[in-house]
Amino acid sequence: MNGRAAIAPLTDADMKARVAAPWFQNAKLGIFIHWGLYSVPGWAPPVAKGLRGYAKPTLDLAQLPYAEWYLNALRMDGSPTRQHHVKTYGEDFNYYDFQSAFEAANATWRADEWAKLFAESGARYAVLTSKHHEGYTLWPSEVPNDKTPGRHLTSKRDLVGEYVAAMRDAGLKAGIYYSGGIDWTFHEQAITLNDPQFSNLFKEAAVARKAGLPPPAVVLPPTEEYADYADRHLVELIDRYHPDVLWNDIGYPQNSRLREILAHYAHSVPTGVINDRFSTLHADVRTPEYRVSPKIDENKWETCRGVGTSFGFNRNEGEGELLADFDLIQMFVDVVSKNGNMLLDVGPRADGSIPANQQSRLRALGAWLRINGAGIYDTVPWKRAADLSPEGLDVRYTQSADAVYAFLLDRRGEDRLTLPSFSLAGDGKVIDLTTNTSLPWRLTNAGLQITLRPDDGGLVPTFRIVGAERADRRIPA
């Protein structure tokens, strides 16, 4: 591309043959960052108190607690966002007038502060929204947008480039998100569930996947002009930044050069990862949103979710709307036990600062991983993901190259743990990772009974079991 020798487009067979790169399969934790003009108002309707980030947000788009969908809700007469906007900024305040405030605020942003925090969280990669549905690009794109006369909806400062450099300097992989399925500068009407162009396509996509057929492209607008615009953006991002993850959202135009571009990406970044939102049947990784697989999935998957119920910064979210440290660690372990990664989102303010209550969750997860990470990184699922012990305790499992790990999700003060139908060789060991000490154990008719040390209130204690029967799975390398 761009004058170089042509590369053959990826075929269905090429796509089917792809698997997620070993680095991605072993990483387990990534940080998602939603940052854009929507970070200035930083507002979405609050969810019911007490959900603590558990619920998948409603698909009532007027009530959607995703702050990054602010513009769509603003276009709906009578929506809570519309009412808030008029009261706060005035009837005639154009959404895109937030650009000057965003650019003034982020003048003091330092990408290395993000990188330091993300590394402290234990993440091994990050994914930044280079362009969300609003159409504003966080890099100085040279692709013109004729739909916004009088405006140049690109950042003069190369925020994406600074982010990529800082992540790599900190030893993290740097992924890039791009909204290929929706661009509100091209589609000026509010998207609602009554819009057949939108809602029916999602239904058709779900039916197609279940039938093993290529899904239809969920794209607004489905025009040649927009397809060319998105194509040029993707090529620009690949050539400028060589992202380790190419994370598209919603869908991608079928009247595009997508297969050629993905071939170009595969050639440019051989260890790069492609997600499943490009309107192709096959992808490197499946990306459910606010959902966790109910069982082990042999194909790699990655759940994406906010620390709370919004991806973008939402000033309505407080402690009651965010996952507690304990809940977050439990959910993370559950995801990893089933062959998943967690892409945990933070929503920075316009100036790039990450709210303290979001930072505290990342640091808590990092502190836990510094003790228990041997059972997380570079592991695969064991023979089964979970057990409920005879004592009524919830357990998850993983397997490394030389041990099985058992995670006790909810200790509740018990002095013993029995792992059902679990055998161990006579010279086997059970090591408590918190204290790095061996624990007494014995085989019973109910399974492997472990005598626990006194409960110190620690979150999700982990046990390294040496000499246990292994599942027939290899660590990706």
Side-chain angles (χ1 to χ4, degrees):
M1 309 194 107
N2 292 341
R4 292 188 289 271
I7 300 171
L10 294 184
T11 64
D12 282 343
D14 294 330
M15 293 293 290
K16 189 174 183 179
R18 288 182 60 94
V19 294
W23 74 260
F24 181 86
Q25 296 194 53
N26 294 330
K28 311 305 182 186
L29 179 63
I31 302 298
F32 215 178
I33 313 106
H34 276 63
W35 195 35
L37 304 189
Y38 45 83
S39 305
V40 178
W43 196 95
V47 298
K49 294 293 183 182
L51 286 178
R52 301 189 73 87
Y54 273 114
K56 179 174 172 59
T58 174
L59 283 178
D60 178 352
L61 299 186
Q63 300 287 338
L64 188 68
Y66 284 1
E68 67 278 9
W69 278 67
Y70 186 96
L71 175 54
N72 191 67
L74 176 59
R75 290 171 170 175
M76 297 180 183
D77 291 338
S79 70
T81 300
R82 177 70 182 165
Q83 295 173 33
H84 165 80
H85 185 86
V86 170
K87 180 180 179 181
T88 307
Y89 304 104
E91 180 76 36
D92 298 325
F93 188 93
N94 188 295
Y95 174 83
Y96 290 107
D97 289 339
F98 286 130
Q99 179 176 351
S100 59
F102 179 69
E103 292 175 351
N106 69 44
T108 58
W109 170 69
R110 291 182 51 179
D112 61 333
E113 293 178 352
W114 281 7
K116 181 180 178 182
L117 174 64
F118 300 164
E120 188 178 348
S121 78
R124 288 187 170 181
Y125 65 103
V127 178
L128 172 66
T129 52
S130 68
K131 185 204 80 164
H132 205 264
H133 312 331
E134 65 184 5
Y136 177 82
T137 72
L138 298 189
W139 81 99
S141 177
E142 297 178 3
V143 179
N145 184 345
D146 297 332
K147 299 298 182 181
T148 57
R151 298 182 186 274
H152 194 51
L153 292 181
T154 67
S155 173
K156 297 181 183 67
R157 182 178 175 183
D158 190 358
L159 303 173
V160 173
E162 293 180 40
Y163 146 82
V164 168
M167 295 304 128
R168 290 174 176 161
D169 285 348
L172 278 70
K173 300 286 189 179
I176 290 176
Y177 163 111
Y178 182 81
S179 174
I182 298 176
D183 189 313
W184 288 321
T185 66
F186 283 75
H187 187 81
E188 297 181 355
Q189 295 77 39
I191 297 170
T192 71
L193 292 185
N194 294 324
D195 183 344
Q197 279 187 296
F198 190 67
S199 58
N200 288 346
L201 283 171
F202 273 111
K203 294 175 184 176
E204 292 169 11
V207 170
R209 285 192 178 92
K210 287 181 179 179
L213 300 172
V218 182
V219 177
L220 289 177
T223 62
E224 294 283 349
E225 180 185 22
Y226 177 63
D228 179 67
Y229 181 72
D231 282 350
R232 293 172 68 186
H233 268 168
L234 272 191
V235 172
E236 199 172 50
L237 289 167
I238 292 167
D239 289 347
R240 288 181 70 127
Y241 308 114
H242 294 81
D244 297 295
V245 181
L246 199 57
W247 212 102
N248 186 62
D249 200 9
I250 305 293
Y252 201 82
Q254 291 184 329
N255 51 344
S256 67
R257 295 179 292 133
L258 177 62
R259 294 304 183 95
E260 180 185 348
I261 293 169
L262 293 182
H264 173 56
Y265 176 62
H267 179 78
S268 301
V269 189
T271 59
V273 175
I274 299 167
N275 80 334
D276 65 338
R277 302 190 184 192
F278 276 105
S279 307
T280 58
L281 180 58
H282 304 289
D284 299 352
V285 58
R286 182 172 61 85
T287 55
E289 192 164 311
Y290 278 85
R291 296 194 305 276
V292 175
S293 177
K295 59 184 181 179
I296 295 172
D297 189 336
E298 299 298 337
N299 297 313
K300 191 64 185 179
W301 59 282
E302 172 194 71
T303 187
C304 63
R305 60 157 300 131
V307 174
T309 54
S310 179
F311 286 93
F313 168 59
N314 183 3
R315 63 185 72 251
N316 285 323
E317 286 192 340
E319 287 296 313
E321 289 73 48
L322 271 61
L323 284 168
D325 297 345
F326 183 56
D327 300 324
L328 173 59
I329 293 168
Q330 280 190 327
M331 186 178 296
F332 176 56
V333 170
D334 186 43
V335 166
V336 173
S337 73
K338 297 168 181 174
N339 200 32
N341 284 10
M342 177 177 277
L343 185 59
L344 182 65
D345 180 84
V346 294
R349 301 180 184 92
D351 64 1
S353 63
I354 297 171
N357 55 11
Q358 296 184 28
Q359 291 193 43
S360 70
R361 270 64 175 183
L362 268 59
R363 291 195 171 95
L365 184 53
W368 183 87
L369 278 165
R370 283 190 286 278
I371 295 171
N372 303 285
I376 296 294
Y377 304 119
D378 307 311
T379 65
V380 292
W382 189 52
K383 295 189 295 183
R384 56 186 182 271
D387 267 331
L388 184 65
S389 80
E391 299 85 6
L393 301 177
D394 205 3
V395 181
R396 296 293 182 273
Y397 299 106
T398 64
Q399 173 180 295
S400 71
D402 57 1
V404 173
Y405 290 85
F407 303 84
L408 181 50
L409 297 191
D410 53 350
R411 176 158 183 190
R412 302 200 308 266
E414 280 78 357
D415 60 3
R416 66 191 60 186
L417 168 67
T418 303
L419 304 180
S421 304
F422 198 112
S423 62
L424 187 59
D427 58 351
K429 293 182 179 180
V430 178
I431 301 168
D432 185 330
L433 292 190
T434 302
T435 58
N436 197 29
T437 57
S438 294
L439 299 177
W441 62 269
R442 67 188 184 97
L443 291 178
T444 70
N445 291 335
L448 176 67
Q449 186 181 91
I450 303 167
T451 301
L452 303 176
R453 62 183 176 82
D455 189 354
D456 62 0
L459 304 181
V460 190
T462 308
F463 309 104
R464 173 183 168 87
I465 305 173
V466 181
E469 184 178 352
R470 311 285 302 290
D472 186 18
R473 293 189 176 96
R474 294 185 178 182
I475 310 298

